[in-house]
Amino acid sequence: DAGVIQSPRHEVTEMGQEVTLRCKPISGHDYLFWYRQTMMRGLELLIYFNNNVPIDDSGMPEDRFSAKMPNASFSTLKIQPSEPRDSAVYFCASSFTYSLSTYEQYFGPGTRLTVT
Amino acid sequence: QKEVEQDPGPLSVPEGAIVSLNCTYSNSAFQYFMWYRQYSRKGPELLMYTYSSGNKEDGRFTAQVDKSSKYISLFIRDSQPSDSATYLCASLNRDDKIIFGKGTRLHILP
């Protein structure tokens, strides 16, 4: 398997523009997670899906952020409008959790977002 | 207080030395603890996980949890330059979400 695939790997945009980040989870995984990583705040969970259904979006910072998972092999994280403070590395991760004792998430390579 | 805390480092040690990485956590209800390794410009990858207290060994790596002091440790024996990375400790909270520490940057000097 190719692992979790994210695109683009780098995104530079101007404040106010819409940004869409994409993720393809590992085939067969039923959980998908979106994280944001910054030096100041570390790795933060934004939202996660189970079987394409959003379960917990309490980490989404504001209404400017939205996420969708239209099918088992694709998810998007959208920021509209983007602001400089959104600059971070955004990770997508997936897992197949059948018991808590083997709770392992597989992370993609991340999208480095810079908003100027 | 952040739920999982760790010293950001950087921690520099000579090749072959034993490395000790540490975290503290605030919620005594946490039961599952994990260590993730993150190479530069890559996503984190799970190294080890433990349940409750005690030790778990995997090759050169040993994870230790002391629930009485809410302390999590990762020991690396015979450290190699390829171990240079950021190490994130994490715990599973009661909502089944992984709470990560900010990570400790480790440099193994050849």
Side-chain angles (χ1 to χ4, degrees), chain B residues 5-25:
Chain B
E5 300 208 55
Q6 61 183 129
D7 189 321
L11 178 64
S12 297
V13 300
E15 182 177 355
I18 295 175
V19 175
S20 173
L21 301 168
N22 305 295
C23 282
T24 57
Y25 63 96

Side-chain angles (χ1 to χ4, degrees), chain B:
Chain B
Q1 179 189 10
K2 200 163 165 43
E3 291 183 280
V4 178
E5 300 208 55
Q6 61 183 129
D7 189 321
L11 178 64
S12 297
V13 300
E15 182 177 355
I18 295 175
V19 175
S20 173
L21 301 168
N22 305 295
C23 282
T24 57
Y25 63 96
S26 60
N27 192 329
S28 57
F30 287 175
Q31 296 276 28
Y32 291 90
F33 304 93
M34 291 148 275
W35 283 96
Y36 277 76
R37 178 176 60 195
Q38 185 176 19
Y39 290 115
S40 180
R41 304 210 174 244
K42 301 283 187 184
E45 57 179 340
L46 181 66
L47 256 184
M48 299 180 70
Y49 69 89
T50 57
Y51 173 70
S52 195
S53 283
N55 292 0
K56 184 174 183 179
E57 189 173 320
D58 184 1
R60 296 184 296 111
F61 298 87
T62 300
Q64 189 175 79
V65 176
D66 182 347
K67 294 203 75 182
S68 61
S69 58
K70 298 182 194 160
Y71 209 73
I72 314 165
S73 300
L74 179 70
F75 300 98
I76 308 174
R77 292 184 299 281
D78 187 24
S79 55
Q80 306 293 312
S82 59
D83 296 327
S84 297
T86 296
Y87 290 80
L88 304 162
C89 61
S91 183
L92 197 62
N93 73 2
R94 60 182 176 182
D95 296 325
D96 287 348
K97 287 192 273 192
I98 296 182
I99 308 298
F100 286 90
K102 289 185 182 179
T104 299
R105 286 177 294 145
L106 173 66
H107 298 299
I108 306 299
L109 307 171

